[in-house]
Structure formats: structure tokens, C-alpha cells
Amino acid sequence: MNQQNRGFLHKYRSIVVAIVLFVSLDIALIAYNLAASYTIDRYTASRDLSGSMRSSTQIVLRSLLEMQADVAAGGTIGEEARTTLRDRAALIQNGLSALREGGSLPGDAEATVYAAATQPAQRAEADKFASLWQPYQQLLQPLLAADVIDAASVGAAASHGRRINSELFGAINRFVNATQDLVTRETRVLRIVQIVGILFALLNFLYTALLASRRLLEGDRAVARSQKQTGDILATVKEGLFLVTPEQQIGEQMSASLKDVLRQEVKPGQKLFDLLTPMVSAPIMEAARDYVGLLFGKRVKENLVYSLNPLSEVEIGGDTAQKRYLSFQFNRVLDEGEVSGLLVTVQDATERVNLQAEVASAKSRAREQMEVLLRVLNNDPAEVQDFLRRTESSLEQVNATLRQAARRSGENYLGLVNSVFRHVHGIKSEAAAMNLEMFESVAHAFELDLVALRDRGDVEGADMVKLALHLDDLFECLNSVRGLFERLGTASPAPASAPAGGESSPAQQLLASLRGLAKRIAADLGKEVRVTGDMPAFDTLPQGMADDLRSISLQLLRNAVVHGIEEPQERRQHGKAAGGIVHFSCRRSDTDGIDFSVRDDGRGISPRRVREALVRSQRYTADEVAAMPDRDVVMKIFEPGISTASESNRDAGHGAGMDVVLSRVNAMGARIALGSQGHSHTEFRIRIALPSAAAAA
């Protein structure tokens, strides 16, 4: 309030000064009028008193002459003459005292105050009159006091009165004139002061009126400028701005962007919550009503409830494609300490929310990179580099496949989808074996889209182009891990065909990866699995063949743990140990080839379950499946998209693993055989013919 007062005084200082001067001048004029009027009244009273004294001198002399005549005639003096003489003499005596010293006459009921003779002319005449009156008054005193008046006393007084009458009359008359001059002078001065005061007041009034008019015009221009600036702001600002009254109605002024931000018309006087009802859910609406009610209350501080705003970031619309986020911020508008309204600021927060999501995603990627770094550090650097090499090779082949799809038109791309699927599934399996979850999760997301395309059947070129996004994600993972290696200064070791010193051999590295993957899958499924191996020939294989067998091993391990090995309780029911065994073997054959096998002691392959999977895939009818021999049915597990899993997850259910195995076997020019017995075992045997150079080694 003090600041408002200071601001008001500063703004209207000139007008306030003019008004103060006007009031001060009026007060001064009134005060002077009162003082001057009082002085003039006293001077006037003194003039009138001296005039009465002047006439009284003549009446006293006349009374003496009448008394002298009565005495001379031998008669008695009349009481009327004596009374007149006494009264007039007393008036002259008391009046002389009042005129010389100021004050009132004794016995005056009105208590009129007379001005003392202060002017030299007055004082001189008063003294002159007093010097003449005192002897005269002494001669009159015996006449006034005695009961019997003798002729001598009357004659002496009358004779003295005739002698000084002219001087006495002249002195008092001059006093009257001097006093009248004072009255005239004071009256003239008062009139001049009044005229000057009126002129000054008029000038001050004109100045004040002119100044007020000027201020009014300036105020009007300032209001016009302010209104224009407000209009410019409301027309330019990107946020939606409007006021809400205590009746929760929208005010007259609002920004031009409000309509665009809300994407609907907003009318002055419209209820706030009628506007919000189509945009937000009922619970948020109820919370918003309570929040606005708190802001209009007097007891709650605005900054204490700021964080309770349910509309600070609210989703508008339910359609994902049209999903938007709006931010409503409420600020109190105070008028003399009372809440007169709320200023509502509406912003389209969609970009901010999306940016926050991107930042969160970036943080998540950073955490993933850190996790990858930790996981990478837990693996042998040479093995990680081999994984990166194999992954890059697979991604380049996928990229070539997608480019090939982009150049084709009017064809069904299902074969290309299966080709991409095999590469992606291989990357996923290797990443899982090395516990590189970032690669595994990205590849799994890639697989989900591939499954959708494969199951749809009719795949077009545009569908293949969309897969490039997943390919970019995998390349990003690859470059991220490779960048970590470069920052760590880890060089890619030269491949070795045999272990040196205390280093792990390729076979040992493979078995370690298989054991890690088996442990993780078994833990997810509530199973117990042990991986064993006898792979002396693996360390002598060419790099490409070793890579193929590694990929085959990972797929067959997944197949064994997910489909073959039973849960501990089921195994015990069939007289088996609680933990299953998956055994890998890689040896030289008698014909200078390689015999590679994977055997598990699980439940075996059930032709019935394979038949159900074939019918479920809708590629075969029930009659066609029923007519197939069990051997042919079992071999169908190598077809893409065929899986006996009841549900899909990151380890099974996509029908890609056995397709990868058969593809790798065919690429090596090898042969695969399958043997299985219910509740006993399943064994995959692969015979590979070595090139002459490798066979000689």
C-alpha cells in the first residue's frame, strides 16, 4: 500500500502540489480575513466609542449649563440633568481608559473589545484629550458626589467646560478621524488581499485544471498505448492467456494464440470447466476444481500449492496419433490484497514432453552403454571383437538384403524376410551368450516386427524399407561398443588356431558362452541345466566354419533348454536327475571331416506337438499333417516360423532358431541328422567335409 501511495504521489506530484498550494492559499486567505476582520471590528468599535465620547463632551457641557441656569434661577437641579451628567462623564472616563489601554467597558453586556491606541496620531490625540479631561473631570466630581450642589461648583465646572470645549472636542474628533483612517486602511488592505488571493486562486485553479487536463490526456494516451501494447502482446504471444473470474468464468481479454493452442473456440463468459470437460478425464477435472478453489481461497499461499496443479502437464485426446500435452499454469491476480481473478497460461507441452522422453531415452541408452561396458569388460576382449566382427558381417548382409528389396517391385518378399530373420536371430543368440543385453533387446524388437511380417504372408517392398530403422539401431549398438573399445585402447587380437600359454582356446570360449546362456535361460524357465563338451577339433577349424558352428551351437542350445530339458519335477517323475545335460561334441571323422553333435537328455521331440504347430501355422491342413509320417513331421521343425512353444519370448516361440541351423548347415555344404526318443534324448549330428588344406592341418 505504501508503494502504491508513493507511486501515486510521484505520478501526480504536480497536481498534488497545485492542490496543496490552492488549499494553503485558501486557508491563508481565510485566516487573514478572520484576523483582519477582527482588527477592523476592534478599530470600528474604537471609532464608534470615540464618536460617543465626542458627543458626550457636548452633552456634559450642556448639562452643566442647564444646572447653572437652574441654580441661578433659585430652583433645584433636576435629577435627569444629574443622571445625564453622571452617565456621560463615566462614559468618557471609561472610554478614555479603554481607548488608551484596550479592553472592554465596565458593565458592557456584549463585552466589546476595543483596540488600544497604538498609532502615533491616535496616541497623541488620546493623550491630549486625557490632559484636558482630567482637570475637567475633577471639577465634575463634586457635582456628581454631593447631594446639594452649590452655585460656585457648578459655575466653576461650566466655566472650565466652555473654556476647553473647543480643544477637547477637537482632540477627540481627531482621534475619531485617525481611527477611521485605520479602519479605512485595513479595509482597503483586506480588499486588496482578497482580490490578489482570488486572482492567485483563479490562476492556481486554471493551472490545476490545465495540469489535470494534460495529465488526463497523457493518461488517456498511456491507456491507449497500454491497450495497444496489451493487444500486441495478446496477438503475438505464443501461449494461450486468459483471466478467470471468481465465478470461474473466462474474462474478456485473451491471447490470439489461445484458440490455436486449445484447438477450439473460447468465448468470454464461458465457464472454465465447461471448456476443460471435453479435454481431460473426470478424475483430473475433479482435482482441477479443488485446485482452482484453493487458489481463490484466502488462507492458502500460492507457492505452497503450486506443485499440486493437476493440469501442469495433462494429456489431451486419447488417440495415440493425435496425442498432445497441454500445460495450464494459474497465477493469482490481487486487488488490494484480495484475489480478484486468476491469470491462466496455456502452453502446448507436447514438444517438451517428447524432449523429456528423448532425454530419458538418452539417459537410458547411456545406462545401457555403461552396462554394456561392464558386460564387455566381463568378457574376453578377443571374443568380444570376434562377436563385433561377426555382427558387422551379418548386418552388412541384412543391409544388402534390404537394398535388394528396395530395388524390386511387385514381388512377395517373404523369402527376404526369412533371410533377414536368420541373421537377426543369430545376432540375438550370440549377444545373449555373451550377456550383451543391449544387442539382445534391440535384436528382439527387430524380430517382433519380422514375425509380424512373416505371419502376415503378403510382404511388400515398403514393409522391408521400414526395417531399416531396426538395422540402424543395431549398427548404433555396434558402433557404441566399438567406440567403447577404442576409448579403452583395446586392440583387436589376431585370431589364433590354438591356445597359447594360459589363454582360453576357441572351444573353451564357446563352451563358456554356452554355459552362460544355458544358465540364464534355465533360470528364466525354472530349470536346471549343465553344459558339457568334448570339442578338440573345434580349435583347428577355419574361421568361417568356426563361426557357423558357433551360431549352430547357440541355436541348438536354446532349442535344447527351452524345448528338450524338462522341469526338475517332471524329470524326477521319469527317474532322471533334476538337472538336465546338454553335451557338445566336435571331433575329426574317419574320412577327414568333422563330426559335430549336440545331445540333450530331455523329453525328446514329440511328433504330436509338431503336428499341432504345423496346423497352428496355417500352412498345412489337419488332414495334410495327419497323412505325414512322423519322420517327415519332425523334420518340419527346420521350416521358418514353426515352433512348438506355447508362447513366444526372447528365447523361443518365433520359429527362427532351427531355420538358422539348417541355413548354416547348407552354407557349409554339410549334412544334418536328427535322432530323438521320447523322455530320453534328442541329438543333432552334423557331418562337415573339410577343405583339403584344413584336412591336412
Side-chain angles (χ1 to χ4, degrees), residues 79-123:
E79 186 61 31
E80 181 180 355
R82 294 185 65 179
T83 300
T84 301
L85 179 62
R86 184 183 298 109
D87 292 341
R88 292 296 176 172
L91 174 62
I92 293 172
Q93 182 63 34
N94 293 330
L96 179 60
S97 177
L99 292 177
R100 296 183 71 185
E101 299 175 4
S104 302
L105 295 177
D108 185 2
E110 296 181 359
T112 303
V113 178
Y114 301 96
T118 57
Q119 298 298 318
Q122 284 183 303
R123 196 71 185 175

Side-chain angles (χ1 to χ4, degrees), residues 275-328:
L275 175 69
L276 296 178
T277 297
M279 295 190 290
V280 300
S281 63
I284 293 180
M285 178 67 69
E286 189 64 27
R289 290 182 187 274
D290 295 339
Y291 179 71
V292 171
L294 286 175
L295 290 178
F296 274 113
K298 298 180 180 179
R299 299 182 179 179
V300 180
K301 293 184 178 180
E302 183 177 356
N303 58 344
L304 295 180
V305 297
Y306 181 81
S307 60
L308 302 179
N309 182 5
L311 300 176
S312 61
E313 193 175 279
V314 61
E315 181 181 337
I316 304 299
D319 187 0
T320 303
Q322 300 294 328
K323 185 179 294 184
R324 294 195 308 134
Y325 294 88
L326 294 182
S327 172
F328 292 80

Side-chain angles (χ1 to χ4, degrees), residues 353-506:
V353 172
N354 292 338
L355 181 60
Q356 290 174 347
E358 291 177 4
V359 171
S361 177
K363 290 181 178 179
S364 177
R365 287 196 299 271
R367 287 194 298 269
E368 289 176 353
Q369 289 180 350
M370 181 59 66
E371 292 176 0
V372 168
L373 175 60
L374 295 176
R375 295 176 190 275
V376 165
L377 294 176
N378 288 330
N379 287 282
D380 183 87
E383 189 176 359
V384 175
Q385 291 286 9
D386 285 341
F387 165 75
L388 296 178
R389 175 183 54 78
R390 291 189 296 270
T391 300
E392 184 175 23
S393 176
S394 295
L395 293 179
E396 292 295 345
Q397 293 181 56
V398 171
N399 190 34
T401 301
L402 295 180
R403 288 180 178 177
Q404 181 183 2
R407 290 193 294 268
R408 294 184 181 181
S409 61
E411 296 185 15
N412 190 297
Y413 297 90
L414 186 57
L416 296 180
V417 169
N418 289 329
S419 175
V420 172
F421 211 145
R422 286 190 287 271
H423 288 292
V424 173
H425 194 74
I427 294 172
K428 173 182 170 182
S429 297
E430 289 210 47
M434 299 189 67
N435 201 23
L436 298 179
E437 188 174 349
M438 181 173 68
F439 276 96
E440 185 182 7
S441 61
V442 174
H444 183 67
F446 201 161
E447 277 191 349
L448 293 178
D449 281 352
L450 289 170
V451 168
L453 290 178
R454 186 189 63 194
D455 293 345
R456 195 177 73 188
D458 185 15
V459 182
E460 299 177 354
D463 298 318
M464 299 296 290
V465 174
K466 295 177 182 178
L467 299 178
L469 296 175
H470 293 295
L471 182 63
D472 289 341
D473 291 340
L474 283 172
F475 268 118
E476 183 179 349
C477 292
L478 177 70
N479 294 330
S480 176
V481 175
R482 184 164 285 162
L484 290 173
F485 261 71
E486 291 176 355
R487 287 195 292 272
L488 291 173
T490 305
S492 176
S497 59
E503 296 180 359
S504 299
S505 67

Side-chain angles (χ1 to χ4, degrees), residues 41-286:
D41 287 344
R42 293 181 65 190
Y43 283 153
T44 302
S46 297
R47 181 200 63 189
D48 293 342
L49 176 60
S50 60
S52 297
M53 290 170 61
R54 181 179 58 186
S55 61
S56 294
T57 59
Q58 303 306 308
I59 293 173
V60 167
L61 180 59
R62 187 185 64 190
S63 297
L64 286 174
L65 293 176
E66 289 178 355
M67 291 173 65
Q68 186 180 23
D70 289 340
V71 171
T76 59
I77 298 174
E79 186 61 31
E80 181 180 355
R82 294 185 65 179
T83 300
T84 301
L85 179 62
R86 184 183 298 109
D87 292 341
R88 292 296 176 172
L91 174 62
I92 293 172
Q93 182 63 34
N94 293 330
L96 179 60
S97 177
L99 292 177
R100 296 183 71 185
E101 299 175 4
S104 302
L105 295 177
D108 185 2
E110 296 181 359
T112 303
V113 178
Y114 301 96
T118 57
Q119 298 298 318
Q122 284 183 303
R123 196 71 185 175
E125 298 303 329
D127 291 343
K128 176 70 175 177
F129 182 85
S131 65
L132 295 172
W133 171 255
Q134 293 303 328
Y136 193 14
Q137 195 268 344
Q138 290 177 0
L139 293 174
L140 294 176
Q141 193 64 32
L143 301 177
L144 299 176
D147 294 333
V148 179
I149 301 174
D150 58 86
S153 297
V154 174
S159 176
H160 184 76
R162 282 194 298 269
R163 188 172 58 253
I164 67 170
N165 182 60
S166 177
E167 291 183 62
L168 187 65
F169 183 84
I172 194 63
N173 188 58
R174 288 189 295 274
F175 184 90
V176 171
N177 293 335
T179 304
Q180 178 60 41
D181 291 342
L182 287 176
V183 172
T184 302
R185 187 188 68 184
E186 291 296 329
T187 302
R188 184 171 57 251
V189 171
L190 176 60
R191 186 175 295 110
I192 292 172
V193 170
Q194 288 176 337
I195 293 172
V196 172
I198 291 172
L199 290 176
F200 271 110
L202 181 60
L203 291 175
N204 185 269
F205 172 77
L206 293 176
Y207 172 76
T208 304
L210 180 63
L211 196 61
S213 300
R214 179 182 174 186
R215 288 290 185 183
L216 184 61
L217 291 175
E218 290 178 353
D220 290 342
R221 286 194 291 268
V223 170
R225 287 195 302 270
S226 177
Q227 290 178 343
K228 184 179 183 303
Q229 291 172 358
T230 301
D232 292 342
I233 292 173
L234 292 177
T236 306
V237 68
K238 295 182 179 180
E239 294 83 3
L241 298 176
F242 62 92
L243 287 172
V244 175
T245 66
E247 293 76 24
Q248 298 180 359
Q249 292 180 326
I250 296 175
E252 297 289 335
Q253 297 292 328
M254 62 187 70
S255 65
S257 300
L258 181 61
K259 175 183 176 182
D260 297 330
V261 174
L262 296 180
R263 296 185 182 177
Q264 61 174 298
E265 291 287 344
V266 181
K267 298 179 180 179
Q270 183 178 0
K271 289 288 187 179
L272 172 64
F273 294 105
D274 290 344
L275 175 69
L276 296 178
T277 297
M279 295 190 290
V280 300
S281 63
I284 293 180
M285 178 67 69
E286 189 64 27

Side-chain angles (χ1 to χ4, degrees), residues 680-696:
S680 174
H681 70 276
T682 297
E683 183 176 13
F684 293 89
R685 296 180 301 277
I686 301 173
R687 173 156 292 187
I688 309 167
L690 287 175
S692 57

